[in-house]
Amino acid sequence: MSSRTTRRRLIAAMAASSMLSLMDNVRAVSTDNDLPSLRSRAERRGLFFGCGVSAHAIQADPQFRAAVIADCSEIVPTAEMKWGWIESRQGHEVFSDADVLVDFSTQSKLKIRGHTAIWHQNLPNWVPMVLKDQNGAATFERHIRNVLGHFGDRIASWDVVNEAIWPQDRLPEGLRNSIFQQVFGPKYIERAYEIARAVLPKTPLFYNEFGVEYNDRFHAEKRAATLQLLTRLKRRGLIDGFGIQSHLHVGWGFDAKLFQQFLSDAADLELKILLTEFDVNDANAPADFSVRDAAIADHARRYLDVALGEKAVKGLIVWGLSDRYTWLNAPPYARPDGLPNRGQPLDQNLQRKVLWHAIASSLDAAPVRNQ
Ligand code: G3I
């Protein structure tokens, strides 16, 4: 065995030993490929495991492509289906990058999610001005119809509206003061789902949100406002699911009972729940890789044991799969010491980290779902 492999296994063993004191019944860290994949572990429990990917990574990185196929049964474009990507020039819609990912999913027998039709970020520069003119509603509707219509039933489920809640804007029902809210009022949300339902009557429609995971006042306000919105949309038959982005932060206060109650309240609305963008921000964790990896894995495990313990949760999607493709190395989320984030299950070399094994253990421990 090469000294490099020995060293890697030694570090992995050290990581495991330092983590074992933090977590019970964790599988000893191994880089062997004979372990059951995250995909197979999830499917055994009636769940699915997937990841967010970019067209660039899928086209330019064959090893990463193989890692996606090995561990995932579903993918989601991290950018290519957004308004800013598709129609940077008004009236000139370009779907080619998104089509790369849809075609990859078909060829690889993976499902693919749609993300996201209406979001206050990543909008083309021309949109705010055009929405404000008398034809704004037609532009809004055209965008949703064209994007959802282009992909049709090749999309397993859609995040029609993303991140519409922001209590800090102090608007009724905690809604975000986005350009959509300013121009159309709160009704833009229902309108978006009405249009989506008309275009794709059989496709599950989701509302996707972040900042509902922790036990501080900000998260409590977001949870309350999000449940209020979900109730309103569900009552009108406009949504089928709720996406909890699950962007975790080592060191933030997580209250298992509080979060479990939130999941139960969402499940009581008869919504499917997905963990849609899971990753771990490790800016508060020590620089040392083995200590940091153990802290990340422990934090993730505590969250996932609660989340996957709720049977309404049907899937876990990580936002990049490998540290090679995390969004967390850019400001304002990058670590102060400039070291790269380690919040994905595979490291920069696509090797399984302690976090991979923590996810595997949480999947193995999850109650079996009937689909
Ligand atoms: O790949 C191109 C590159 O060729 C080009 O030179 C460069 C020039 O700007 O852009 C590169 O594309 C970037 C793309 O990420 C890479 O995948 C886009 O600029 C950049 O805007 C895009 O950012 C994405 C961001 O959403 C905005 O769409 C991030 O990857 C993605 O992780 C992030 O994801 C969001 C979710 O949709 C919603 N929840 C929060 C989450 C994190 O912000």
Side-chain angles (χ1 to χ4, degrees), residues 165-171 173-175 209-229 258 262:
I165 299 291
W166 191 248
Q168 282 78 343
D169 286 342
R170 296 290 164 239
L171 290 179
E173 301 182 334
L175 292 178
E209 190 56 84
F210 74 99
V212 293
E213 300 86 357
Y214 290 100
N215 66 352
D216 58 30
R217 182 157 163 260
F218 165 83
H219 287 81
E221 286 185 350
K222 279 206 85 170
R223 278 193 292 272
T226 300
L227 280 174
Q228 196 177 6
L229 176 60
L258 201 70
F262 173 65

PDB file of all heavy atoms in Angstrom, residues 165-171 173-175 209-229 258 262:
ATOM      1  N   ILE A 165     -39.947  34.993   2.007  1.00  0.00           N
ATOM      2  CA  ILE A 165     -40.167  35.419   3.388  1.00  0.00           C
ATOM      3  C   ILE A 165     -38.927  36.146   3.914  1.00  0.00           C
ATOM      4  O   ILE A 165     -37.808  35.652   3.781  1.00  0.00           O
ATOM      5  CB  ILE A 165     -40.452  34.192   4.294  1.00  0.00           C
ATOM      6  CG1 ILE A 165     -41.713  33.450   3.834  1.00  0.00           C
ATOM      7  CG2 ILE A 165     -40.569  34.611   5.760  1.00  0.00           C
ATOM      8  CD1 ILE A 165     -43.007  34.182   4.047  1.00  0.00           C
ATOM      9  N   TRP A 166     -39.138  37.329   4.469  1.00  0.00           N
ATOM     10  CA  TRP A 166     -38.028  38.075   5.086  1.00  0.00           C
ATOM     11  C   TRP A 166     -38.618  39.016   6.142  1.00  0.00           C
ATOM     12  O   TRP A 166     -38.880  40.184   5.853  1.00  0.00           O
ATOM     13  CB  TRP A 166     -37.218  38.833   4.042  1.00  0.00           C
ATOM     14  CG  TRP A 166     -35.923  39.393   4.572  1.00  0.00           C
ATOM     15  CD1 TRP A 166     -35.597  40.715   4.759  1.00  0.00           C
ATOM     16  CD2 TRP A 166     -34.774  38.648   5.000  1.00  0.00           C
ATOM     17  NE1 TRP A 166     -34.326  40.832   5.264  1.00  0.00           N
ATOM     18  CE2 TRP A 166     -33.793  39.590   5.436  1.00  0.00           C
ATOM     19  CE3 TRP A 166     -34.463  37.282   5.059  1.00  0.00           C
ATOM     20  CZ2 TRP A 166     -32.537  39.195   5.912  1.00  0.00           C
ATOM     21  CZ3 TRP A 166     -33.219  36.892   5.530  1.00  0.00           C
ATOM     22  CH2 TRP A 166     -32.269  37.841   5.947  1.00  0.00           C
ATOM     23  N   PRO A 167     -38.883  38.515   7.356  1.00  0.00           N
ATOM     24  CA  PRO A 167     -39.588  39.326   8.363  1.00  0.00           C
ATOM     25  C   PRO A 167     -38.927  40.676   8.656  1.00  0.00           C
ATOM     26  O   PRO A 167     -39.601  41.623   9.058  1.00  0.00           O
ATOM     27  CB  PRO A 167     -39.560  38.418   9.591  1.00  0.00           C
ATOM     28  CG  PRO A 167     -39.466  37.032   9.042  1.00  0.00           C
ATOM     29  CD  PRO A 167     -38.629  37.145   7.810  1.00  0.00           C
ATOM     30  N   GLN A 168     -37.623  40.772   8.427  1.00  0.00           N
ATOM     31  CA  GLN A 168     -36.913  42.030   8.705  1.00  0.00           C
ATOM     32  C   GLN A 168     -37.454  43.181   7.864  1.00  0.00           C
ATOM     33  O   GLN A 168     -37.219  44.342   8.155  1.00  0.00           O
ATOM     34  CB  GLN A 168     -35.410  41.897   8.440  1.00  0.00           C
ATOM     35  CG  GLN A 168     -34.645  41.186   9.530  1.00  0.00           C
ATOM     36  CD  GLN A 168     -34.807  39.682   9.479  1.00  0.00           C
ATOM     37  OE1 GLN A 168     -35.727  39.175   8.827  1.00  0.00           O
ATOM     38  NE2 GLN A 168     -33.952  38.954  10.117  1.00  0.00           N
ATOM     39  N   ASP A 169     -38.170  42.876   6.772  1.00  0.00           N
ATOM     40  CA  ASP A 169     -38.734  43.963   5.955  1.00  0.00           C
ATOM     41  C   ASP A 169     -40.018  44.516   6.573  1.00  0.00           C
ATOM     42  O   ASP A 169     -40.608  45.469   6.056  1.00  0.00           O
ATOM     43  CB  ASP A 169     -39.002  43.472   4.519  1.00  0.00           C
ATOM     44  CG  ASP A 169     -37.710  43.319   3.708  1.00  0.00           C
ATOM     45  OD1 ASP A 169     -36.684  43.893   4.124  1.00  0.00           O
ATOM     46  OD2 ASP A 169     -37.726  42.625   2.685  1.00  0.00           O
ATOM     47  N   ARG A 170     -40.439  43.839   7.656  1.00  0.00           N
ATOM     48  CA  ARG A 170     -41.591  44.338   8.421  1.00  0.00           C
ATOM     49  C   ARG A 170     -42.852  44.543   7.570  1.00  0.00           C
ATOM     50  O   ARG A 170     -43.624  45.475   7.767  1.00  0.00           O
ATOM     51  CB  ARG A 170     -41.225  45.651   9.148  1.00  0.00           C
ATOM     52  CG  ARG A 170     -40.118  45.459  10.199  1.00  0.00           C
ATOM     53  CD  ARG A 170     -40.610  44.652  11.402  1.00  0.00           C
ATOM     54  NE  ARG A 170     -39.519  44.117  12.238  1.00  0.00           N
ATOM     55  CZ  ARG A 170     -39.360  42.802  12.459  1.00  0.00           C
ATOM     56  NH1 ARG A 170     -40.166  41.906  11.887  1.00  0.00           N
ATOM     57  NH2 ARG A 170     -38.375  42.342  13.233  1.00  0.00           N
ATOM     58  N   LEU A 171     -43.046  43.648   6.606  1.00  0.00           N
ATOM     59  CA  LEU A 171     -44.294  43.699   5.818  1.00  0.00           C
ATOM     60  C   LEU A 171     -45.275  42.710   6.429  1.00  0.00           C
ATOM     61  O   LEU A 171     -44.879  41.793   7.138  1.00  0.00           O
ATOM     62  CB  LEU A 171     -44.018  43.330   4.359  1.00  0.00           C
ATOM     63  CG  LEU A 171     -43.225  44.342   3.540  1.00  0.00           C
ATOM     64  CD1 LEU A 171     -43.009  43.816   2.118  1.00  0.00           C
ATOM     65  CD2 LEU A 171     -43.938  45.694   3.498  1.00  0.00           C
ATOM     66  N   GLU A 173     -47.359  39.543   7.230  1.00  0.00           N
ATOM     67  CA  GLU A 173     -47.079  38.113   7.036  1.00  0.00           C
ATOM     68  C   GLU A 173     -45.597  37.831   6.758  1.00  0.00           C
ATOM     69  O   GLU A 173     -45.259  36.782   6.187  1.00  0.00           O
ATOM     70  CB  GLU A 173     -47.969  37.545   5.924  1.00  0.00           C
ATOM     71  CG  GLU A 173     -49.456  37.730   6.259  1.00  0.00           C
ATOM     72  CD  GLU A 173     -50.377  37.146   5.208  1.00  0.00           C
ATOM     73  OE1 GLU A 173     -49.952  37.042   4.035  1.00  0.00           O
ATOM     74  OE2 GLU A 173     -51.506  36.774   5.585  1.00  0.00           O
ATOM     75  N   GLY A 174     -44.731  38.790   7.129  1.00  0.00           N
ATOM     76  CA  GLY A 174     -43.280  38.563   7.037  1.00  0.00           C
ATOM     77  C   GLY A 174     -42.764  38.432   5.621  1.00  0.00           C
ATOM     78  O   GLY A 174     -41.706  37.850   5.394  1.00  0.00           O
ATOM     79  N   LEU A 175     -43.522  38.984   4.659  1.00  0.00           N
ATOM     80  CA  LEU A 175     -43.102  38.822   3.263  1.00  0.00           C
ATOM     81  C   LEU A 175     -41.902  39.713   2.937  1.00  0.00           C
ATOM     82  O   LEU A 175     -41.725  40.792   3.516  1.00  0.00           O
ATOM     83  CB  LEU A 175     -44.273  39.153   2.330  1.00  0.00           C
ATOM     84  CG  LEU A 175     -45.437  38.143   2.389  1.00  0.00           C
ATOM     85  CD1 LEU A 175     -46.583  38.579   1.476  1.00  0.00           C
ATOM     86  CD2 LEU A 175     -44.969  36.748   2.002  1.00  0.00           C
ATOM     87  N   GLU A 209     -37.363  27.510   0.901  1.00  0.00           N
ATOM     88  CA  GLU A 209     -36.992  28.577   1.843  1.00  0.00           C
ATOM     89  C   GLU A 209     -35.758  28.190   2.662  1.00  0.00           C
ATOM     90  O   GLU A 209     -35.457  27.001   2.807  1.00  0.00           O
ATOM     91  CB  GLU A 209     -38.186  28.870   2.768  1.00  0.00           C
ATOM     92  CG  GLU A 209     -38.045  30.109   3.652  1.00  0.00           C
ATOM     93  CD  GLU A 209     -37.775  31.396   2.879  1.00  0.00           C
ATOM     94  OE1 GLU A 209     -38.719  32.036   2.384  1.00  0.00           O
ATOM     95  OE2 GLU A 209     -36.587  31.754   2.760  1.00  0.00           O
ATOM     96  N   PHE A 210     -35.042  29.197   3.154  1.00  0.00           N
ATOM     97  CA  PHE A 210     -33.911  28.959   4.060  1.00  0.00           C
ATOM     98  C   PHE A 210     -34.209  29.654   5.380  1.00  0.00           C
ATOM     99  O   PHE A 210     -35.170  30.396   5.508  1.00  0.00           O
ATOM    100  CB  PHE A 210     -32.602  29.510   3.456  1.00  0.00           C
ATOM    101  CG  PHE A 210     -32.513  31.019   3.511  1.00  0.00           C
ATOM    102  CD1 PHE A 210     -31.781  31.665   4.507  1.00  0.00           C
ATOM    103  CD2 PHE A 210     -33.186  31.801   2.577  1.00  0.00           C
ATOM    104  CE1 PHE A 210     -31.711  33.058   4.557  1.00  0.00           C
ATOM    105  CE2 PHE A 210     -33.130  33.199   2.633  1.00  0.00           C
ATOM    106  CZ  PHE A 210     -32.380  33.830   3.615  1.00  0.00           C
ATOM    107  N   GLY A 211     -33.301  29.414   6.385  1.00  0.00           N
ATOM    108  CA  GLY A 211     -33.399  30.175   7.635  1.00  0.00           C
ATOM    109  C   GLY A 211     -34.540  29.741   8.528  1.00  0.00           C
ATOM    110  O   GLY A 211     -35.108  30.553   9.264  1.00  0.00           O
ATOM    111  N   VAL A 212     -34.865  28.448   8.499  1.00  0.00           N
ATOM    112  CA  VAL A 212     -35.942  27.931   9.373  1.00  0.00           C
ATOM    113  C   VAL A 212     -35.420  26.843  10.308  1.00  0.00           C
ATOM    114  O   VAL A 212     -36.180  26.130  10.953  1.00  0.00           O
ATOM    115  CB  VAL A 212     -37.116  27.378   8.531  1.00  0.00           C
ATOM    116  CG1 VAL A 212     -37.815  28.490   7.769  1.00  0.00           C
ATOM    117  CG2 VAL A 212     -36.644  26.282   7.569  1.00  0.00           C
ATOM    118  N   GLU A 213     -34.075  26.687  10.381  1.00  0.00           N
ATOM    119  CA  GLU A 213     -33.501  25.507  11.032  1.00  0.00           C
ATOM    120  C   GLU A 213     -33.081  25.712  12.482  1.00  0.00           C
ATOM    121  O   GLU A 213     -33.009  24.742  13.246  1.00  0.00           O
ATOM    122  CB  GLU A 213     -32.260  25.042  10.232  1.00  0.00           C
ATOM    123  CG  GLU A 213     -32.555  24.646   8.756  1.00  0.00           C
ATOM    124  CD  GLU A 213     -32.540  25.831   7.792  1.00  0.00           C
ATOM    125  OE1 GLU A 213     -32.357  26.975   8.231  1.00  0.00           O
ATOM    126  OE2 GLU A 213     -32.741  25.595   6.578  1.00  0.00           O
ATOM    127  N   TYR A 214     -32.808  26.963  12.884  1.00  0.00           N
ATOM    128  CA  TYR A 214     -32.163  27.154  14.191  1.00  0.00           C
ATOM    129  C   TYR A 214     -33.071  27.792  15.237  1.00  0.00           C
ATOM    130  O   TYR A 214     -34.220  28.157  14.949  1.00  0.00           O
ATOM    131  CB  TYR A 214     -30.865  27.965  13.992  1.00  0.00           C
ATOM    132  CG  TYR A 214     -29.806  27.155  13.274  1.00  0.00           C
ATOM    133  CD1 TYR A 214     -29.564  27.313  11.910  1.00  0.00           C
ATOM    134  CD2 TYR A 214     -29.082  26.173  13.957  1.00  0.00           C
ATOM    135  CE1 TYR A 214     -28.615  26.549  11.250  1.00  0.00           C
ATOM    136  CE2 TYR A 214     -28.143  25.402  13.302  1.00  0.00           C
ATOM    137  CZ  TYR A 214     -27.911  25.594  11.944  1.00  0.00           C
ATOM    138  OH  TYR A 214     -26.975  24.820  11.306  1.00  0.00           O
ATOM    139  N   ASN A 215     -32.562  27.906  16.480  1.00  0.00           N
ATOM    140  CA  ASN A 215     -33.458  28.278  17.588  1.00  0.00           C
ATOM    141  C   ASN A 215     -33.297  29.721  18.026  1.00  0.00           C
ATOM    142  O   ASN A 215     -33.500  30.051  19.170  1.00  0.00           O
ATOM    143  CB  ASN A 215     -33.227  27.343  18.782  1.00  0.00           C
ATOM    144  CG  ASN A 215     -31.840  27.521  19.379  1.00  0.00           C
ATOM    145  OD1 ASN A 215     -31.003  28.229  18.805  1.00  0.00           O
ATOM    146  ND2 ASN A 215     -31.585  26.872  20.496  1.00  0.00           N
ATOM    147  N   ASP A 216     -32.952  30.624  17.098  1.00  0.00           N
ATOM    148  CA  ASP A 216     -32.909  32.045  17.496  1.00  0.00           C
ATOM    149  C   ASP A 216     -34.180  32.751  16.973  1.00  0.00           C
ATOM    150  O   ASP A 216     -34.997  32.158  16.273  1.00  0.00           O
ATOM    151  CB  ASP A 216     -31.652  32.722  16.930  1.00  0.00           C
ATOM    152  CG  ASP A 216     -31.574  32.618  15.415  1.00  0.00           C
ATOM    153  OD1 ASP A 216     -32.655  32.576  14.768  1.00  0.00           O
ATOM    154  OD2 ASP A 216     -30.482  32.527  14.865  1.00  0.00           O
ATOM    155  N   ARG A 217     -34.314  34.028  17.325  1.00  0.00           N
ATOM    156  CA  ARG A 217     -35.552  34.770  17.031  1.00  0.00           C
ATOM    157  C   ARG A 217     -35.755  34.933  15.531  1.00  0.00           C
ATOM    158  O   ARG A 217     -36.849  34.787  14.991  1.00  0.00           O
ATOM    159  CB  ARG A 217     -35.483  36.144  17.718  1.00  0.00           C
ATOM    160  CG  ARG A 217     -36.756  36.970  17.501  1.00  0.00           C
ATOM    161  CD  ARG A 217     -36.958  38.044  18.578  1.00  0.00           C
ATOM    162  NE  ARG A 217     -37.938  39.011  18.090  1.00  0.00           N
ATOM    163  CZ  ARG A 217     -37.621  40.195  17.566  1.00  0.00           C
ATOM    164  NH1 ARG A 217     -36.360  40.578  17.536  1.00  0.00           N
ATOM    165  NH2 ARG A 217     -38.553  41.014  17.092  1.00  0.00           N
ATOM    166  N   PHE A 218     -34.645  35.184  14.799  1.00  0.00           N
ATOM    167  CA  PHE A 218     -34.738  35.341  13.332  1.00  0.00           C
ATOM    168  C   PHE A 218     -35.358  34.094  12.707  1.00  0.00           C
ATOM    169  O   PHE A 218     -36.298  34.158  11.916  1.00  0.00           O
ATOM    170  CB  PHE A 218     -33.328  35.579  12.768  1.00  0.00           C
ATOM    171  CG  PHE A 218     -33.217  35.397  11.281  1.00  0.00           C
ATOM    172  CD1 PHE A 218     -33.568  36.432  10.413  1.00  0.00           C
ATOM    173  CD2 PHE A 218     -32.789  34.181  10.737  1.00  0.00           C
ATOM    174  CE1 PHE A 218     -33.483  36.265   9.036  1.00  0.00           C
ATOM    175  CE2 PHE A 218     -32.707  34.007   9.349  1.00  0.00           C
ATOM    176  CZ  PHE A 218     -33.048  35.052   8.503  1.00  0.00           C
ATOM    177  N   HIS A 219     -34.844  32.927  13.122  1.00  0.00           N
ATOM    178  CA  HIS A 219     -35.349  31.676  12.536  1.00  0.00           C
ATOM    179  C   HIS A 219     -36.774  31.399  12.986  1.00  0.00           C
ATOM    180  O   HIS A 219     -37.588  30.884  12.214  1.00  0.00           O
ATOM    181  CB  HIS A 219     -34.421  30.512  12.905  1.00  0.00           C
ATOM    182  CG  HIS A 219     -33.111  30.528  12.179  1.00  0.00           C
ATOM    183  ND1 HIS A 219     -32.049  31.315  12.566  1.00  0.00           N
ATOM    184  CD2 HIS A 219     -32.702  29.888  11.052  1.00  0.00           C
ATOM    185  CE1 HIS A 219     -31.040  31.135  11.736  1.00  0.00           C
ATOM    186  NE2 HIS A 219     -31.404  30.281  10.819  1.00  0.00           N
ATOM    187  N   ALA A 220     -37.090  31.770  14.228  1.00  0.00           N
ATOM    188  CA  ALA A 220     -38.464  31.539  14.721  1.00  0.00           C
ATOM    189  C   ALA A 220     -39.461  32.376  13.918  1.00  0.00           C
ATOM    190  O   ALA A 220     -40.516  31.879  13.513  1.00  0.00           O
ATOM    191  CB  ALA A 220     -38.539  31.916  16.205  1.00  0.00           C
ATOM    192  N   GLU A 221     -39.102  33.623  13.630  1.00  0.00           N
ATOM    193  CA  GLU A 221     -39.996  34.492  12.846  1.00  0.00           C
ATOM    194  C   GLU A 221     -40.161  33.942  11.425  1.00  0.00           C
ATOM    195  O   GLU A 221     -41.257  33.926  10.866  1.00  0.00           O
ATOM    196  CB  GLU A 221     -39.423  35.924  12.790  1.00  0.00           C
ATOM    197  CG  GLU A 221     -39.561  36.696  14.085  1.00  0.00           C
ATOM    198  CD  GLU A 221     -39.091  38.143  13.924  1.00  0.00           C
ATOM    199  OE1 GLU A 221     -38.479  38.471  12.862  1.00  0.00           O
ATOM    200  OE2 GLU A 221     -39.345  38.955  14.828  1.00  0.00           O
ATOM    201  N   LYS A 222     -39.061  33.419  10.864  1.00  0.00           N
ATOM    202  CA  LYS A 222     -39.154  32.861   9.492  1.00  0.00           C
ATOM    203  C   LYS A 222     -40.008  31.600   9.489  1.00  0.00           C
ATOM    204  O   LYS A 222     -40.804  31.379   8.567  1.00  0.00           O
ATOM    205  CB  LYS A 222     -37.767  32.572   8.924  1.00  0.00           C
ATOM    206  CG  LYS A 222     -37.085  33.804   8.358  1.00  0.00           C
ATOM    207  CD  LYS A 222     -36.058  33.477   7.282  1.00  0.00           C
ATOM    208  CE  LYS A 222     -36.650  33.321   5.922  1.00  0.00           C
ATOM    209  NZ  LYS A 222     -35.639  33.240   4.845  1.00  0.00           N
ATOM    210  N   ARG A 223     -39.847  30.766  10.530  1.00  0.00           N
ATOM    211  CA  ARG A 223     -40.665  29.546  10.583  1.00  0.00           C
ATOM    212  C   ARG A 223     -42.151  29.904  10.621  1.00  0.00           C
ATOM    213  O   ARG A 223     -42.961  29.340   9.871  1.00  0.00           O
ATOM    214  CB  ARG A 223     -40.294  28.713  11.822  1.00  0.00           C
ATOM    215  CG  ARG A 223     -39.074  27.841  11.651  1.00  0.00           C
ATOM    216  CD  ARG A 223     -38.954  26.834  12.791  1.00  0.00           C
ATOM    217  NE  ARG A 223     -38.646  27.495  14.067  1.00  0.00           N
ATOM    218  CZ  ARG A 223     -37.404  27.758  14.475  1.00  0.00           C
ATOM    219  NH1 ARG A 223     -36.371  27.435  13.702  1.00  0.00           N
ATOM    220  NH2 ARG A 223     -37.164  28.340  15.638  1.00  0.00           N
ATOM    221  N   ALA A 224     -42.505  30.856  11.484  1.00  0.00           N
ATOM    222  CA  ALA A 224     -43.927  31.212  11.647  1.00  0.00           C
ATOM    223  C   ALA A 224     -44.494  31.766  10.340  1.00  0.00           C
ATOM    224  O   ALA A 224     -45.567  31.347   9.877  1.00  0.00           O
ATOM    225  CB  ALA A 224     -44.059  32.235  12.774  1.00  0.00           C
ATOM    226  N   ALA A 225     -43.752  32.683   9.710  1.00  0.00           N
ATOM    227  CA  ALA A 225     -44.245  33.290   8.459  1.00  0.00           C
ATOM    228  C   ALA A 225     -44.294  32.265   7.330  1.00  0.00           C
ATOM    229  O   ALA A 225     -45.207  32.262   6.498  1.00  0.00           O
ATOM    230  CB  ALA A 225     -43.339  34.465   8.077  1.00  0.00           C
ATOM    231  N   THR A 226     -43.318  31.351   7.316  1.00  0.00           N
ATOM    232  CA  THR A 226     -43.299  30.330   6.264  1.00  0.00           C
ATOM    233  C   THR A 226     -44.488  29.387   6.406  1.00  0.00           C
ATOM    234  O   THR A 226     -45.170  29.087   5.421  1.00  0.00           O
ATOM    235  CB  THR A 226     -41.977  29.543   6.320  1.00  0.00           C
ATOM    236  OG1 THR A 226     -40.878  30.444   6.119  1.00  0.00           O
ATOM    237  CG2 THR A 226     -41.941  28.452   5.265  1.00  0.00           C
ATOM    238  N   LEU A 227     -44.786  28.978   7.635  1.00  0.00           N
ATOM    239  CA  LEU A 227     -45.939  28.096   7.843  1.00  0.00           C
ATOM    240  C   LEU A 227     -47.234  28.784   7.430  1.00  0.00           C
ATOM    241  O   LEU A 227     -48.124  28.181   6.836  1.00  0.00           O
ATOM    242  CB  LEU A 227     -46.016  27.650   9.305  1.00  0.00           C
ATOM    243  CG  LEU A 227     -45.082  26.509   9.715  1.00  0.00           C
ATOM    244  CD1 LEU A 227     -45.166  26.279  11.228  1.00  0.00           C
ATOM    245  CD2 LEU A 227     -45.400  25.226   8.960  1.00  0.00           C
ATOM    246  N   GLN A 228     -47.307  30.084   7.698  1.00  0.00           N
ATOM    247  CA  GLN A 228     -48.502  30.853   7.323  1.00  0.00           C
ATOM    248  C   GLN A 228     -48.662  30.856   5.799  1.00  0.00           C
ATOM    249  O   GLN A 228     -49.743  30.619   5.258  1.00  0.00           O
ATOM    250  CB  GLN A 228     -48.344  32.289   7.843  1.00  0.00           C
ATOM    251  CG  GLN A 228     -49.626  33.090   7.869  1.00  0.00           C
ATOM    252  CD  GLN A 228     -49.381  34.485   8.476  1.00  0.00           C
ATOM    253  OE1 GLN A 228     -48.240  34.872   8.777  1.00  0.00           O
ATOM    254  NE2 GLN A 228     -50.447  35.239   8.660  1.00  0.00           N
ATOM    255  N   LEU A 229     -47.563  31.065   5.086  1.00  0.00           N
ATOM    256  CA  LEU A 229     -47.611  31.079   3.613  1.00  0.00           C
ATOM    257  C   LEU A 229     -47.947  29.691   3.077  1.00  0.00           C
ATOM    258  O   LEU A 229     -48.797  29.537   2.189  1.00  0.00           O
ATOM    259  CB  LEU A 229     -46.272  31.559   3.043  1.00  0.00           C
ATOM    260  CG  LEU A 229     -46.140  31.524   1.522  1.00  0.00           C
ATOM    261  CD1 LEU A 229     -47.206  32.401   0.849  1.00  0.00           C
ATOM    262  CD2 LEU A 229     -44.736  31.962   1.096  1.00  0.00           C
ATOM    263  N   LEU A 258     -37.691  21.696  18.871  1.00  0.00           N
ATOM    264  CA  LEU A 258     -38.268  22.852  18.172  1.00  0.00           C
ATOM    265  C   LEU A 258     -38.372  22.570  16.671  1.00  0.00           C
ATOM    266  O   LEU A 258     -39.418  22.759  16.047  1.00  0.00           O
ATOM    267  CB  LEU A 258     -37.344  24.048  18.417  1.00  0.00           C
ATOM    268  CG  LEU A 258     -37.888  25.449  18.246  1.00  0.00           C
ATOM    269  CD1 LEU A 258     -38.882  25.772  19.350  1.00  0.00           C
ATOM    270  CD2 LEU A 258     -36.720  26.446  18.276  1.00  0.00           C
ATOM    271  N   PHE A 262     -41.631  21.946  14.062  1.00  0.00           N
ATOM    272  CA  PHE A 262     -41.830  22.695  12.817  1.00  0.00           C
ATOM    273  C   PHE A 262     -42.082  21.736  11.650  1.00  0.00           C
ATOM    274  O   PHE A 262     -43.002  21.934  10.845  1.00  0.00           O
ATOM    275  CB  PHE A 262     -40.589  23.555  12.548  1.00  0.00           C
ATOM    276  CG  PHE A 262     -40.578  24.247  11.219  1.00  0.00           C
ATOM    277  CD1 PHE A 262     -41.525  25.234  10.914  1.00  0.00           C
ATOM    278  CD2 PHE A 262     -39.631  23.928  10.255  1.00  0.00           C
ATOM    279  CE1 PHE A 262     -41.521  25.888   9.682  1.00  0.00           C
ATOM    280  CE2 PHE A 262     -39.618  24.574   9.016  1.00  0.00           C
ATOM    281  CZ  PHE A 262     -40.572  25.553   8.740  1.00  0.00           C
TER     282      PHE A 262
END
